[in-house]
């Protein structure tokens, strides 16, 4: 079984590029060039240098001793929370800004929901001196004021999306419209392992540095490259794709994907796509998608802004369908409890997205000698307000 993308841009039956004809030249240019650009020695050198000196990689692979003791297994945390800007998203935006430069683009657009991808994009545009326009739903702009301020400080222009539900989906539509109108000088930085081919594969490759590092770091600490399990939370699926990438075809490594169950999988307020989703098309790719019987996209819900996406990337849809990955759904309450536990056992305040991945240890037992690597995708600073309200701190 192949879990990577094939030449046609598919993972099994999922993926592809379902785009309006007017977008075809932009996406086709990227498709024809992305692998060659990424293979250039010059590109690799600049990417690796920036990951090291600017992002702060390699991120530590930390043996969480007290957490491991509590759950009677060996838990390692891949510390993406220690990256510049506080999460894994910067790995992808660094890669894509270098790609944009190699393609001769001078103007960058992005969509953002909670603002994390907008901040990561504004950051790399400042770094490279490129114009940056971030589309964001009007409702999200009001809800996420600190990230809007960050983007502005970094020199980005934040454009409100005023149509529809005025959230992420509408911001994405605005970004696509912009790209159609500016096909020559503009690159669209998508923030997760989603979108039309080649985006899911390109984003996965940029994020795959996570599993590349896990291999040698685990070898150093445990004498073997392969853990027994790799675990990550899934919104669109970029930190998960990066965490799994070098283990996809290692049969002795089991894969656990953690989705947000919100108030409960069957509550109607959830983002558990692998359980609730059906095949459909969103943002230019065929994947599992939460939708009504007549194909309308259902509004997802999770306490964590990064996980409330109505679909999953096509790679993860394929991993779910083939059974290569085990999917688990974690509620808001379970995630919040696990987040607080990490604070108190390890002195690390995790992003609420990452707390979902940590919550599996209450639900599932592992053997004492098993090694479980969890992607700690981001830090909790951005979530302080939510933690304060939830725990009445
Ligand atoms: C955005 C985000 C996620 C979800 O995005 P993926 O593409 O699924 O990784 C998870 N964790 C953090 C900290 C995030 O900022």
């Amino acid at each position: 079984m192949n879990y990577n993308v094939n030449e046609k841009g598919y993972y099994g039956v999922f993926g592809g590029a379902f785009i309006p004809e007017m977008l075809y030249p932009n996406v086709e240019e990227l498709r024809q060039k992305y692998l060659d650009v990424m293979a250039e020695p010059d590109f690799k050198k600049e990417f690796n240098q920036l990951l090291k000196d600017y992002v702060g990689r390699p991120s530590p692979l930390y043996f969480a001793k007290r957490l491991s003791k509590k759950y009677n297994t060996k838990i390692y945390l891949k510390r993406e929370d220690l990256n510049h800007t506080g999460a894994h998203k910067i790995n992808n935006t660094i890669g894509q800004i270098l790609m944009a430069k190699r393609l001769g683009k001078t103007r960058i657009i992005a969509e953002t929901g909670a603002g994390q991808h907008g901040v990561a994009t504004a950051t790399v545009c400042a770094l490279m001196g490129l114009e940056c326009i971030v589309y964001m739903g009007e409702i999200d702009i009001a809800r996420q004021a600190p990230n809007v301020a960050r983007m502005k400080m970094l020199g980005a222009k934040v454009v409100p999306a005023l149509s529809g539900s005025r959230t992420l989906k509408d911001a994405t539509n605005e970004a696509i419209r912009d790209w159609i109108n500016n096909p020559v000088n503009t690159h669209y930085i998508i923030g997760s392992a989603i979108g039309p081919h080649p985006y899911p594969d390109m984003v996965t490759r940029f994020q795959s540095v996570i599993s590349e590092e896990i291999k040698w770091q685990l070898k150093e600490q445990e004498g073997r490259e392969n853990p027994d399990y790799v675990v990550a939370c899934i919104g669109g699926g970029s930190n998960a794709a990066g965490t799994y990438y070098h283990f996809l075809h290692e049969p002795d490594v089991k894969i656990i994907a953690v989705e947000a169950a919100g108030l409960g999988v069957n509550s109607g307020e959830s983002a558990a796509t692998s359980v609730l989703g059906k095949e459909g098309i969103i943002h230019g790719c065929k994947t599992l998608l939460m939708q009504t019987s007549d194909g309308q996209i259902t509004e997802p819900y999770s306490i964590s802004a990064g996980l409330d996406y109505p679909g999953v990337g096509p790679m993860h849809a394929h991993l779910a369908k083939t059974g290569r990955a085990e999917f688990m759904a974690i509620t808001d309450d379970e995630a919040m409890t696990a987040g607080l536990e990490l604070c108190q056992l390890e002195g690390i305040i995790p992003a609420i997205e990452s707390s979902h991945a940590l919550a599996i240890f209450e639900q599932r037992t592992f053997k004492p000698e098993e090694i479980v690597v969890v992607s700690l995708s981001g830090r909790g600073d951005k979530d302080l307000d939510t933690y304060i309200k939830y725990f009445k701190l």
Side-chain angles (χ1 to χ4, degrees):
M1 182 72 75
N2 175 29
Y3 299 106
N4 287 324
V5 80
N6 67 22
E7 325 71 65
K8 297 207 165 89
Y10 279 83
Y11 301 84
V13 298
F14 300 109
F18 298 81
I19 48 173
E21 198 171 321
M22 289 175 41
L23 213 54
Y24 183 79
N26 313 36
V27 174
E28 183 58 13
E29 181 189 23
L30 193 61
R31 189 189 70 78
Q32 283 181 9
K33 294 184 179 161
Y34 82 110
L35 289 176
D36 288 343
V37 170
M38 286 180 75
E40 284 168 14
D42 224 42
F43 181 93
K44 284 193 199 166
K45 187 168 169 231
E46 197 175 358
F47 183 55
N48 291 331
Q49 190 84 42
L50 283 171
L51 288 185
K52 176 170 172 280
D53 297 332
Y54 189 71
V55 176
R57 304 202 72 93
S59 68
L61 181 68
Y62 167 69
F63 177 61
K65 197 166 153 199
R66 299 213 319 132
L67 194 68
S68 297
K69 183 151 188 272
K70 166 146 190 204
Y71 292 106
N72 197 25
T73 189
K74 291 169 116 169
I75 303 172
Y76 281 84
L77 303 178
K78 183 57 173 159
R79 299 290 310 275
E80 295 302 300
D81 62 313
L82 295 176
N83 293 342
H84 179 47
T85 69
H88 65 290
K89 287 195 172 70
I90 191 87
N91 303 326
N92 170 48
T93 55
I94 293 268
Q96 286 204 47
I97 199 88
L98 296 179
M99 179 67 61
K101 283 203 343 180
R102 296 301 190 284
L103 299 179
K105 311 292 178 183
T106 54
R107 183 174 173 273
I108 299 297
I109 57 172
E111 86 296 337
T112 197
Q116 295 301 111
H117 172 56
V119 170
T121 302
T123 300
V124 297
C125 287
L127 177 69
M128 294 297 167
L130 295 189
E131 185 185 358
C132 181
I133 294 110
V134 180
Y135 291 95
M136 190 169 185
E138 194 182 29
I139 302 270
D140 289 333
I141 289 180
R143 285 197 288 216
Q144 309 287 344
N147 276 340
V148 176
R150 285 186 183 100
M151 286 182 263
K152 288 182 176 166
M153 286 185 75
L154 293 162
K157 186 171 157 205
V158 181
V159 179
L162 305 171
S163 63
S165 58
R166 291 173 291 153
T167 57
L168 178 61
K169 164 170 70 62
D170 313 287
T172 305
N173 291 339
E174 292 295 329
I176 289 173
R177 199 163 304 150
D178 180 314
W179 208 21
I180 288 172
N181 291 329
N182 298 281
V184 178
N185 68 346
T186 298
H187 175 70
Y188 179 13
I189 300 191
I190 294 183
S192 190
I194 55 173
H197 179 65
Y199 277 100
D201 185 50
M202 180 172 67
V203 174
T204 297
R205 285 167 187 265
F206 288 140
Q207 292 292 359
S208 71
V209 64
I210 299 173
S211 47
E212 190 183 313
E213 288 173 5
I214 292 172
K215 281 203 164 238
W216 63 258
Q217 289 173 318
L218 201 63
K219 177 88 181 166
E220 261 181 27
Q221 297 187 56
E222 290 281 348
R224 58 166 155 129
E225 287 189 340
N226 287 356
D228 296 289
Y229 291 88
V230 281
V231 182
C233 67
I234 299 210
S238 68
N239 90 91
T243 303
Y244 306 159
Y245 188 76
H246 290 282
F247 303 114
L248 286 170
H249 299 96
E250 303 278 349
D252 55 328
V253 182
K254 295 175 213 65
I255 294 174
I256 298 180
V258 186
E259 293 183 309
L263 301 183
V265 171
N266 297 314
S267 66
E269 298 289 332
S270 157
T273 311
S274 75
V275 189
L276 302 170
K278 297 196 179 57
E279 255 177 57
I281 290 169
I282 183 172
H283 299 156
C285 75
K286 186 188 280 183
T287 189
L288 290 174
L289 173 61
M290 288 170 35
Q291 51 189 314
T292 60
S293 53
D294 56 352
Q296 294 295 320
I297 294 170
T298 320
E299 272 300 315
Y301 164 81
S302 164
I303 194 168
S304 82
L307 300 186
D308 81 4
Y309 183 70
V312 288
M315 175 204 268
H316 302 294
H318 184 50
L319 294 177
K321 185 161 176 154
T322 56
R324 175 67 182 93
E326 174 188 351
F327 278 69
M328 296 179 69
I330 294 295
T331 64
D332 288 359
D333 290 339
E334 289 160 350
M336 295 305 276
T337 305
L340 189 62
E341 179 176 81
L342 190 73
C343 299
Q344 298 181 353
L345 285 180
E346 298 289 347
I348 299 170
I349 302 178
I352 298 174
E353 290 86 353
S354 321
S355 300
H356 284 72
L358 295 164
I360 67 162
F361 294 103
E362 278 294 332
Q363 305 223 332
R364 199 178 182 304
T365 33
F366 297 90
K367 297 193 186 114
E369 70 281 6
E370 282 179 329
I371 296 173
V372 185
V373 175
V374 181
S375 166
L376 201 70
S377 54
R379 55 178 175 247
D381 308 32
K382 70 180 178 62
D383 295 322
L384 221 55
D385 269 355
T386 311
Y387 279 124
I388 289 168
K389 280 197 195 102
Y390 187 88
F391 290 113
K392 305 189 169 57
L393 301 170

